[in-house]
Amino acid sequence: MEMHIATDTGRLSHDLAAWLSDYIRDVLSKKDRFTFVLSGGGTPKQLYALLAEAPYKEAIDWQKIHFFWGDERAVPFEDSRNNAKMCYDELLNKVPVNPAHIHIMRTDIEPEESAIEYEKVLKEYFTDSELTFDFVLLGMGDDGHTLSLFPGTEVIHEKSAWVKAFYLPAQEMFRITLTAPVVNNAACVAFLAAGAGKAETLKHVLKGGPNIDLYPSQIIKPLKGQLHWFVDQAAAALL
């Protein structure tokens, strides 16, 4: 695991944008596509805004990037809570991506059907490869959740399915999410976490004993890939 600690959230986003641009260039020097799992939530917005501007808009070969999502709320695409909509608004509508390379988690069909369909898409992409995604961007909630792996949910312990849908009573909605098995087979995973509200949880996730039911972010440990944590000083205060 590699830690990257920035002075503030602005610097944090700049550091990750620069690191990610170099990483994409390196991967694309060896093969002809780059598979990128986007994250929803508030923290990545600043990163996406940077990637959509110079120098990254020009430096990154957007035509070769294939986009996926880590999780989704089962709400219509037009809904402001929809992760895909946020990513389109902040990034995908602003850079020259190939629309055929964008794979949203559908919310116009039943959640379970959407999960099955998404898993089929992923298995077509990664049929012959030992690893799955080139890069997975994750957030961590104040409660220690990542993706839609919330404390106390069964999906944390999923061992075989790559994508699951389930009803989350606390939010009164269905969620669709990638699971630990597919993410832990990625070539590179990066958590992005900022703010003092994350400090206590981050300490438990990284320094505490294993308790994935309480701190689901602990279950993300790439088997053969890299793991990075990009955090600001406020989030890292108790480490």
Side-chain angles (χ1 to χ4, degrees), residues 28-237:
L28 287 177
S29 71
K30 299 165 189 160
K31 57 183 194 176
D32 60 2
R33 77 177 185 199
F34 184 93
T35 48
F36 187 155
V37 176
L38 296 163
S39 174
T43 312
K45 279 188 180 181
Q46 201 170 2
L47 170 67
Y48 298 157
L50 285 171
L51 293 175
E53 297 172 350
Y56 305 112
K57 185 174 182 176
E58 293 75 30
I60 292 169
D61 192 345
W62 296 102
Q63 289 283 313
K64 291 183 179 176
I65 300 185
H66 297 241
F67 292 97
F68 304 86
W69 271 262
D71 71 329
E72 188 58 272
R73 300 173 181 90
V75 296
F77 180 82
E78 300 75 24
D79 191 306
S80 61
R81 297 170 295 173
N82 185 281
N83 286 338
K85 182 183 189 304
M86 184 276 279
C87 296
Y88 269 91
D89 289 348
E90 302 296 331
L91 176 63
L92 301 177
N93 286 336
K94 299 178 179 179
V95 291
V97 299
N98 183 339
H101 295 167
I102 301 175
H103 304 283
I104 67 170
M105 291 175 163
R106 288 179 61 187
T107 58
D108 59 336
I109 56 178
E110 289 299 313
E112 290 88 351
E113 194 181 337
S114 178
I116 291 166
E117 185 178 283
Y118 211 67
E119 181 155 334
K120 283 181 182 170
V121 170
L122 298 184
K123 293 206 163 165
E124 285 169 8
Y125 260 82
F126 306 118
T127 308
D128 303 319
S129 51
E130 185 182 358
L131 297 171
T132 56
F133 307 104
D134 293 303
F135 183 70
V136 180
L137 178 64
L138 297 178
M140 183 192 73
D142 292 358
D143 63 354
H145 88 269
T146 191
L147 302 162
S148 286
L149 310 180
F150 290 90
T153 52
E154 287 182 26
V155 70
I156 296 167
H157 299 276
E158 179 60 44
K159 296 290 192 289
S160 55
W162 285 10
V163 190
K164 292 290 284 185
F166 67 98
Y167 185 74
L168 189 63
Q171 296 182 1
E172 298 183 338
M173 70 165 66
F174 277 89
R175 307 281 301 215
I176 307 156
T177 187
L178 299 184
T179 63
V182 69
V183 174
N184 283 336
N185 273 317
C188 181
V189 177
F191 278 90
L192 178 61
K198 303 276 169 68
E200 186 72 30
T201 301
L202 188 62
K203 180 183 78 170
H204 285 292
V205 168
L206 296 182
K207 303 295 187 184
N211 190 344
I212 60 171
D213 285 299
L214 196 56
Y215 301 107
S217 291
Q218 289 183 329
I219 202 168
I220 303 301
K221 291 181 176 177
L223 300 172
K224 296 181 180 177
Q226 307 172 43
L227 176 61
H228 295 263
W229 280 86
F230 285 84
V231 300
D232 66 354
Q233 284 183 345

